[in-house]
Amino acid sequence: MIISFLNQKGGVGKTTLAVNTAARLARSGHKVLLIDADPQQTSAQWASLRETTPFVVASLPRPKMARDAMAMAADYTHTIIDGPARGKDIAHSVVIASDLVVIPIEPGGPSLWAATETIEAVNNGRALKEQLEAVFLVSRKQANTVIGREAKAYAADAGIQILRTEIQNRVAFAEALTAGRTIFEWAAKSEAAKDIERLVKELLRYGEHENIRGPEKARQAADA
Ligand SMILES: Nc1ncnc2c1ncn2[C@@H]1O[C@H](COP(=O)(O)OP(=O)(O)OP(=O)(O)O)[C@@H](O)[C@H]1O
Ligand SMILES: [Mg+2]
């Protein structure tokens, strides 16, 4: 399965989620590839802070990266793509390469509305790749906040489900990334690590076909 984290809004947690999702999958013994498709190369920089990485990290920060990404992914059980902030062409190619596009959003912030461009990329991708799935993921959530009705309506309107797992804003995530560590190496028993555990479990369930819902079904579900 090829899972991408994509939102052209910067700083929503794409790299944090991509690195730690890859790390969690690698811990289960899977052969995992992390593709850094962001010209900022944050994932690649994270990898450069280390002597070895628990998964393979490759850089494809360019438009039309999909073909190479899919060819490379054939050798791995799971491929994770760290998407770019800005750059329509790369975003489009990331979507095309993906089986599942995860769109991190910060609840309450303006990022929800900035996802419009990403949703457009997903919809364009779906026209070319029918089985493509996309979901929202609440990221960097402040404790004691709830996802507002506005956010739910926005997701329903886009025909995109919101994952049940929510990633809270937790310092351990920032500390681990800066130190060139995965959250499991930095603080294995932390709540942050548990967030990623839950996320990966839910993402893998998405890979098992029954739970995959097209935009129409998601819309129906939202209306029900
Ligand atoms: N859940 C979280 N809790 C606390 N800090 C976080 C969390 N997620 C991300 N951060 C921090 O927020 C900053 C931006 O995160 P990150 O680099 O993962 O976002 P991004 O979407 O990849 O950004 P960009 O668009 O620039 O690539 C980083 O300093 C990171 O450590
Ligand atoms: Mg990033």
Side-chain angles (χ1 to χ4, degrees):
M1 181 153 65
I2 304 183
I3 303 172
S4 59
F5 291 92
L6 185 66
N7 188 338
Q8 277 107 305
K9 167 87 167 54
V12 293
K14 297 179 289 290
T15 301
T16 304
L17 294 163
V19 163
N20 289 308
T21 297
R24 179 61 191 88
L25 289 166
R27 277 166 72 87
S28 298
H30 295 300
K31 222 179 143 193
V32 179
L33 171 66
L34 173 66
I35 296 176
D36 192 347
D38 183 358
Q40 293 180 106
Q41 291 286 284
T42 317
S43 285
Q45 278 160 20
W46 171 87
S48 74
L49 295 172
R50 312 170 51 102
E51 268 172 29
T52 60
T53 46
F55 42 82
V56 175
V57 181
S59 287
L60 288 177
R62 50 184 160 77
K64 303 205 171 80
M65 55 75 77
R67 185 187 293 260
D68 287 344
M70 289 190 281
M72 289 169 83
D75 292 332
Y76 296 86
T77 319
H78 297 291
T79 295
I80 305 298
I81 305 177
D82 182 7
R86 298 178 292 279
K88 245 189 181 157
D89 292 347
I90 304 181
H92 177 73
S93 204
V94 166
V95 168
I96 293 299
S98 304
D99 298 307
L100 175 60
V101 180
V102 180
I103 307 170
I105 49 167
E106 284 176 68
S111 70
L112 200 56
W113 312 107
T116 308
E117 214 180 313
T118 309
I119 293 164
E120 208 177 281
V122 165
N123 288 336
N124 290 340
R126 270 183 176 144
L128 300 167
K129 188 172 175 179
E130 207 186 324
Q131 70 279 25
L132 178 75
E133 286 300 324
V135 287
F136 285 119
L137 168 62
V138 173
S139 175
R140 308 199 62 183
K141 189 182 177 222
Q142 299 298 334
N144 306 320
T145 57
V146 289
I147 322 176
R149 196 189 298 181
E150 206 184 7
K152 284 185 182 155
Y154 181 79
D157 198 45
I160 296 176
Q161 289 195 322
I162 305 175
L163 288 177
R164 192 166 302 160
T165 305
E166 296 176 345
I167 306 295
Q168 295 232 2
N169 203 71
R170 303 187 195 275
V171 260
F173 278 122
E175 289 170 349
L177 202 70
T178 311
R181 292 283 166 264
T182 71
I183 195 64
F184 303 101
E185 294 164 335
W186 185 257
K189 295 200 169 81
S190 64
E191 290 302 314
K194 283 180 201 153
D195 280 355
I196 298 295
E197 292 279 354
R198 279 190 288 269
L199 170 66
V200 170
K201 235 181 233 163
E202 193 174 2
L203 291 177
L204 290 178
R205 247 182 283 134
Y206 247 88
E208 297 162 3
H209 317 286
E210 291 85 86
N211 287 328
I212 288 186
R213 296 166 155 201
E216 198 47 51
K217 279 193 191 152
R219 205 166 286 139
Q220 284 165 6
D223 288 343

